[in-house]
Amino acid sequence: QVNLVESGGGSVQAGGSLRLSCAASGVTNNDYCMGWFRQAPGKEREGVAVMRTGDGSTLYTDSVKGRFIIAQDNGKNTMFLQMNSLKPDDTAMYYCAVEPFSNICTLDVVPFGYWATGTQVTVSS
């Protein structure tokens, strides 16, 4: 049984930073997809950043390139999203997700089978 527990999030002024963490348990594969997604009110959920754990390759949505960093701590099956230079447009509910049975990782929401409950990020101007 895969379980994801998020921490971090909160409120910050524009230009500030936040770090999200996600602890995964029950994943036995060591080459799989993990990622961060977000959903703003009235909008569809979108992929923010994904990583293939086997080789560390990453993908970012254009709007966060150069500002956000996805990282993993293999020893603890934990992933992080370091968010810098935050903008009001980054305000959303953020979700971590994993797909333990695939190492073909894209920003598409659909392939990810396991999701955390979400954590709110609010950026004020």
Side-chain angles (χ1 to χ4, degrees):
Q1 180 72 18
V2 175
N3 189 45
L4 303 176
V5 178
E6 288 174 332
S7 60
S11 297
V12 66
Q13 288 192 327
S17 298
L18 285 173
R19 188 191 199 207
L20 306 182
S21 300
C22 179
S25 59
V27 179
T28 57
N29 193 359
N30 58 12
D31 186 11
Y32 61 94
C33 298
M34 64 178 192
W36 291 94
F37 299 79
R38 66 186 179 186
Q39 188 166 18
K43 294 187 177 181
E44 293 187 352
R45 191 171 298 188
E46 65 168 348
V48 175
V50 297
M51 174 183 279
R52 176 184 171 182
T53 63
D55 64 7
S57 56
T58 58
L59 284 174
Y60 294 89
T61 193
D62 286 346
S63 63
V64 308
K65 286 180 181 177
R67 301 189 297 122
F68 290 12
I69 301 170
I70 186 172
Q72 62 174 328
D73 179 345
N74 280 339
K76 298 182 179 180
N77 255 5
T78 302
M79 61 176 167
F80 307 96
L81 185 68
Q82 177 66 41
M83 304 184 293
N84 301 319
S85 302
L86 282 160
K87 304 176 181 180
D89 283 349
D90 295 317
T91 295
M93 186 72 77
Y94 282 71
Y95 301 87
C96 67
V98 299
E99 178 40 63
F101 306 110
S102 175
N103 60 12
I104 301 173
C105 309
T106 72
L107 293 167
D108 190 357
V109 170
V110 172
F112 283 80
Y114 298 89
W115 294 81
T117 56
T119 186
Q120 179 68 37
V121 171
T122 302
V123 185
S124 57
S125 56

